[in-house]
Amino acid sequence: MNISNIIFIVLFVLAISIFTYNLQKIISNIKLGKSINRSDNKKKRWFNMIRVALGQSKMTRRPIAGIFHIIIYIGFVIINLEMLEIIIDGISGSHRYFSKILPIYLYNFLIASFEVLALLVIIACVVFLIRRNLMNIKRFLSAEMTKWPKTDANLILIFEILLMVAFLFMDAADYLIQINKNENISGSFPISSMLVPMLDHYSYNSLYFIERFCWWFHIIGVLLFMNYVLISKHLHIFFAFPSTYFAKLKPLGELDNLTSVTNEVKLMLDPNIDPYSSQSNSTTNQERFGAKDANDLNRIQLLNAYSCTECGRCTSNCPAHQTGKLLSPRKILMDTRKRISEIGNNKRKGLKDNKSLLGDYITKEELWACTSCNACTESCPIELDPMSIIMDMRRYLVMEESAAPTELNLIFNNIENNGAPWQFSSSDRLNWKNE
């Protein structure tokens, strides 16, 4: 083992350690939410995860973006198989380790496949850069997509292009090195061989430097990318799978009852409990009706917030947003993620603030603009549910602050006084029912 192997092992362990530490912080943030039981219908949940997260079934609803995203997705998954060889080579000091243990025809096929996919990933990333920056697509121009979100999306695409280019130049230099050594060629290089005219005038030492530089650039880039993902919208690479597994299986229009309300009703209907007893008060006072802050939401909702791809399909399909209202379902998820991250960081530092998700991040106007049509959830490529966050925050406004719009308060009063949403006395019900 030489010095380069030691350096590689140190960098690899350091990158994995930082990744694990930061991932645990995100998981601890999610656990700040209320626990929720979504362990039912396991077969259906597994099928949903395989169909939506692994099979990308909802991406092709917008064919152009969907096809290019699938190319990047497949390229990301398959090309990373090549990372296994790089890691083994980095630790052991071997060179193209799999060429020595796999049949040469299989190894050649794998390398050729990696190169074709690398080229397709480069093309897809260039297309996405053009779409995001030159085509003025409305869903990429919303207020929440300025500054960091826009920069993040571009950085990811540029990062992927550089990694794929380094991979292809590494193969091209290695191909020439093997030719110069008069060795049997390990690997098939249909794409990188086209780069040979750019390199064949270099000396053997220069080619070796280029190959090693690209090798180190590629592996260090991947390790950096792995850690960068945790602070970017590309966290969905990991979290899309649990999000689709725990996605709502009930009809989208069916709302869940609040546990706090259910418990309150049970106490009211239980003749054996004194509503003024300490037992009753301690039970009801522990839970807030609805959600004012991010930690009032459940863990699936917080997982959804971290899983958001910021693609904007939910917002572009939202009828309220289309009519010019302030609501953007994508912003609801992004704001929830920002707030729960802030709460988690404050907790770890022993700090408190006077902020809340409601008011400091999401306004009442945004919440009441929602038509509860579920277009956002239906259009989301990984079945996130921003509407459930909106509904829980509305519940808080109505049940804790009595801050519903005038039209709703009129309906509530009619139901309370007349037993119906209309402004007719219950004693006259048979009269207006028959008209």
Side-chain angles (χ1 to χ4, degrees), residues 49-215:
M49 182 183 74
I50 293 170
R51 177 180 64 87
V52 178
L54 189 62
Q56 304 279 291
S57 62
K58 296 183 73 173
M59 286 300 302
T60 52
R61 292 182 178 181
R62 300 191 180 189
I64 296 177
I67 290 170
F68 281 110
H69 185 275
I70 289 172
I71 288 172
I72 293 177
Y73 170 72
I74 294 174
F76 175 83
V77 173
I78 295 179
I79 291 175
N80 275 329
L81 294 175
E82 174 257 350
M83 284 298 300
L84 294 175
E85 183 177 55
I86 289 181
I87 291 170
I88 293 172
D89 287 347
I91 293 174
S92 66
S94 60
H95 183 66
R96 294 196 176 274
Y97 174 78
F98 286 160
S99 67
K100 300 174 179 61
I101 63 172
L102 294 176
I104 192 63
Y105 67 87
L106 177 58
Y107 185 76
N108 289 345
F109 171 77
L110 288 174
I111 297 300
S113 300
F114 296 158
E115 289 207 350
V116 171
L117 284 170
L119 178 62
L120 291 175
V121 168
I122 291 171
I123 294 171
C125 289
V126 170
V127 170
F128 281 146
L129 279 171
I130 293 171
R131 290 179 78 249
R132 281 188 171 272
N133 297 284
L134 300 179
M135 294 182 65
N136 293 324
I137 296 174
K138 187 177 179 180
R139 62 193 173 102
F140 297 140
L141 302 176
S142 301
E144 68 268 18
M145 293 306 294
T146 58
K147 298 181 181 178
W148 171 247
K150 181 178 181 179
T151 303
D152 175 38
N154 287 329
L155 281 176
I156 287 288
L157 294 171
I158 294 169
F159 218 149
E160 291 179 0
I161 290 172
L162 291 176
L163 289 177
M164 295 303 103
V165 169
F167 169 69
L168 292 175
F169 271 96
M170 178 188 74
D171 276 1
D174 188 53
Y175 175 60
L176 286 173
I177 289 171
Q178 292 186 64
I179 291 176
N180 289 339
K181 286 184 175 181
N182 293 319
E183 295 178 345
N184 292 327
I185 304 299
S186 297
S188 178
F189 309 99
I191 306 301
S192 61
S193 59
M194 293 188 287
L195 302 175
V196 165
M198 299 173 62
L199 302 176
D200 61 359
H201 61 282
Y202 285 103
S203 66
Y204 176 86
N205 289 335
S206 296
L207 288 173
Y208 182 78
F209 173 81
I210 292 171
E211 191 273 341
R212 286 291 86 190
F213 176 84
C214 291
W215 187 92

Side-chain angles (χ1 to χ4, degrees), residues 229-255:
V229 159
L230 297 180
I231 60 169
S232 82
K233 72 188 188 74
H234 275 61
L235 187 56
H236 72 271
I237 292 172
F238 305 115
F239 281 6
F241 293 92
S243 285
T244 49
Y245 179 85
F246 291 114
K248 183 179 178 181
L249 298 180
K250 298 177 183 178
L252 292 181
E254 181 180 339
L255 298 178

Side-chain angles (χ1 to χ4, degrees), residues 234-378:
H234 275 61
L235 187 56
H236 72 271
I237 292 172
F238 305 115
F239 281 6
F241 293 92
S243 285
T244 49
Y245 179 85
F246 291 114
K248 183 179 178 181
L249 298 180
K250 298 177 183 178
L252 292 181
E254 181 180 339
L255 298 178
D256 295 325
N257 293 324
L258 283 178
T259 303
S260 52
V261 174
T262 302
N263 292 338
E264 181 80 11
V265 172
K266 286 180 179 178
L267 286 171
M268 293 170 63
L269 297 178
D270 191 340
N272 298 318
I273 294 182
D274 179 1
Y276 300 104
S277 67
S278 58
Q279 176 189 357
S280 173
N281 291 331
S282 63
T283 303
T284 57
N285 289 337
Q286 286 177 354
E287 292 188 90
R288 176 180 278 163
F289 295 134
K292 180 182 180 182
D293 212 345
N295 54 348
D296 295 323
L297 299 169
N298 65 55
R299 293 174 182 178
I300 304 300
Q301 291 169 321
L302 298 181
L303 174 64
N304 282 185
Y306 277 108
S307 304
C308 179
T309 69
E310 299 178 11
C311 67
R313 295 188 183 202
C314 55
T315 295
S316 64
N317 283 285
C318 174
H321 183 82
Q322 290 174 358
T323 58
K325 292 185 172 62
L326 193 60
L327 175 64
S328 169
R330 170 175 57 191
K331 179 180 176 294
I332 298 294
L333 289 171
M334 293 171 68
D335 285 345
T336 301
R337 180 176 63 211
K338 290 177 187 176
R339 178 56 185 159
I340 195 61
S341 297
E342 187 176 48
I343 293 173
N345 289 335
N346 287 341
K347 184 176 180 180
R348 281 184 286 273
K349 295 176 182 177
L351 302 175
K352 290 185 179 180
D353 59 34
N354 295 319
K355 296 181 181 179
S356 67
L357 184 61
L358 177 61
D360 292 296
Y361 288 85
I362 300 172
T363 64
K364 296 178 183 179
E365 183 181 352
E366 292 174 82
L367 298 176
W368 292 115
C370 177
T371 66
S372 65
C373 68
N374 270 297
C376 52
T377 302
E378 172 60 27

